[in-house]
Amino acid sequence: MSVDDNPTARGAAMAREKLAQAKADAAKRGQLPRREPRRKGPCRENGDPQLFGRAIADLLADRGWERSAAVGGVFGRWVDIVGPDLAAHTKPESFDDGEVLIAADSTAWATQVRLLARTLVRRLNEELGDGTVKKVKVRGPQNAPRSTGGLRVTGSRGPGDTYG
């Protein structure tokens, strides 16, 4: 059976021919494929693929992102760390220089978090490592613009739960 009789062999021969033509065209334009390896850097001891988790851990360590990733993980698992009741009314907003800023949706919950600050620091340090969190700062609800009306006293702040 010759190449002309076999459709598979004919297709493979055409593919080789088209590839050779594309390479020749690229060489004429000065766009030759790279000869050197794409990636420079430390090579693994063996050619085996790494486990995904290990590769991510190495990347985080190489770039110095370990602490940021750990803090992001804690913020993502806030419900598991503080419990569903507290998490329903609070949200971690930032971590900067050992200080965690937590926003509460009411002054009552802001007060509760302030009372639990030491316990919260201890719990966060269990997750992130000793000494990572030094202080918990709590922000209550932000004052919203007040509506004006006939039944309001000018300048009154009222008994509403809006103080932070």
Side-chain angles (χ1 to χ4, degrees):
M1 183 181 267
S2 70
V3 172
D4 293 334
D5 296 341
N6 186 348
T8 305
R10 206 174 2 174
M14 270 179 54
R16 278 192 293 279
E17 185 180 313
K18 292 294 183 186
L19 178 62
Q21 182 63 40
K23 284 183 178 180
D25 291 345
K28 286 179 189 174
R29 291 189 310 266
Q31 297 175 340
L32 293 174
R34 296 201 242 198
R35 297 282 182 208
E36 74 277 351
R38 290 180 183 254
R39 191 177 130 193
K40 301 266 184 191
C43 295
R44 293 188 310 272
E45 299 281 329
N46 55 14
D48 292 336
Q50 289 183 333
L51 295 173
F52 184 72
R54 182 69 200 165
I56 294 296
D58 289 346
L59 175 70
L60 293 175
D62 290 345
R63 304 279 172 112
W65 294 341
E66 292 166 311
R67 178 172 282 179
S68 297
V71 169
V74 165
F75 283 14
R77 295 185 351 262
W78 186 247
V79 175
D80 299 330
I81 294 169
V82 300
D85 293 335
L86 190 60
H89 299 282
T90 61
K91 182 177 118 183
E93 289 199 338
S94 67
F95 175 80
D96 188 34
D97 200 27
E99 182 177 285
V100 176
L101 175 64
I102 299 172
D105 63 2
S106 71
T107 56
W109 281 103
T111 302
Q112 184 68 23
V113 173
R114 286 183 190 106
L115 293 172
L116 293 171
R118 285 186 184 198
T119 306
L120 201 51
V121 167
R122 182 181 47 76
R123 181 69 181 103
L124 290 171
N125 280 329
E126 287 174 6
E127 293 287 327
L128 297 170
D130 275 340
T132 304
V133 177
K134 297 177 182 91
K135 184 178 179 183
V136 170
K137 188 174 180 181
V138 183
R139 183 179 56 82
Q142 299 299 304
N143 290 339
R146 300 228 175 243
S147 61
T148 58
L151 299 177
R152 298 208 38 101
V153 176
T154 305
S156 168
R157 293 176 66 153
D161 188 20
T162 57
Y163 306 108

